[in-house]
Amino acid sequence: DLDDEKAQHAIINSCDLFIRMMREDKYKGQLYGDISAITAFKRIGALQKVIQSSDIHDRLIYGSDYPVPAINGVVWYGRLVSNGLITEEQAVTLREIFKYNPVLADFVSKRIMRYTDDNGKVHKFSDVIFQQFPLIDGGVDLSVRDKKDQ
């Protein structure tokens, strides 16, 4: 983090830096993120921070990061359960879905996740994350017209 005027720099978690930058006005409309790998077993701490940061969700995009979700060892449903993000019953269902469609299991897991903070507030990924086509569209006119209108 060398973007400040300090002579000494503390080591700061990259997720914390990402959230800080997402909250800075100068990056609005320029900085976006995706949640594709956020459920990887080594990223539970980042997942908990990002899911609570609903003020940045409008600039997050759902991504599958395929083929990563198809690698059985990357997402540990048991760890999601032990961290209170999904229930054991949901983990069983996700494992069953995974057998047939790992990308669907990834999508479903991110839609059903809930995180309860220390104050008892329940957080989830905002619906907008999964509906970001206008964000990535780039202004292409994809409207459907009747042949008679052409």
Side-chain angles (χ1 to χ4, degrees):
D1 182 21
L2 300 177
D3 64 342
D4 59 26
E5 303 294 324
K6 296 178 188 169
Q8 294 288 323
H9 297 277
I11 296 174
I12 300 174
N13 177 287
S14 60
C15 180
D16 294 335
L17 291 175
F18 171 71
I19 292 170
R20 188 190 84 200
M21 288 177 67
M22 289 287 282
R23 288 178 171 154
E24 290 184 25
D25 286 338
K26 67 182 177 181
Y27 296 115
K28 293 215 167 105
Q30 296 183 31
L31 180 63
Y32 300 88
D34 76 70
I35 62 168
S36 60
I38 197 84
T39 55
F41 69 92
K42 290 186 174 185
R43 297 195 173 121
I44 297 297
L47 171 58
Q48 292 169 331
K49 291 175 185 179
V50 171
I51 206 168
Q52 291 179 82
S53 301
S54 59
D55 59 311
I56 67 169
H57 286 185
D58 64 325
R59 290 187 292 132
L60 296 178
I61 301 170
Y62 166 75
S64 72
D65 211 15
Y66 185 81
V68 174
I71 302 168
N72 200 11
V74 174
V75 177
W76 296 355
Y77 295 128
R79 185 165 282 180
L80 296 176
V81 170
S82 65
N83 283 276
L85 293 156
I86 62 173
T87 66
E88 183 59 47
E89 294 79 17
Q90 290 170 327
V92 169
T93 302
L94 289 168
R95 287 184 189 103
E96 193 64 26
I97 295 169
F98 182 90
K99 291 178 192 176
Y100 298 96
N101 189 331
V103 175
L104 179 61
D106 178 68
F107 177 79
V108 170
S109 72
K110 290 171 180 162
R111 292 296 278 164
I112 64 175
M113 274 184 210
R114 301 293 185 268
Y115 176 71
T116 305
D117 65 23
D118 293 338
N119 297 319
K121 182 175 180 183
V122 178
H123 304 270
K124 70 178 193 82
F125 284 123
S126 300
D127 293 343
V128 70
I129 294 172
F130 304 93
Q131 303 165 351
Q132 289 290 30
F133 181 76
L135 183 66
I136 60 176
D137 168 30
V140 177
D141 182 10
L142 297 175
S143 58
V144 178
R145 294 183 185 94
D146 289 336
K147 286 188 176 188
K148 64 182 177 186
D149 292 338
Q150 296 180 354

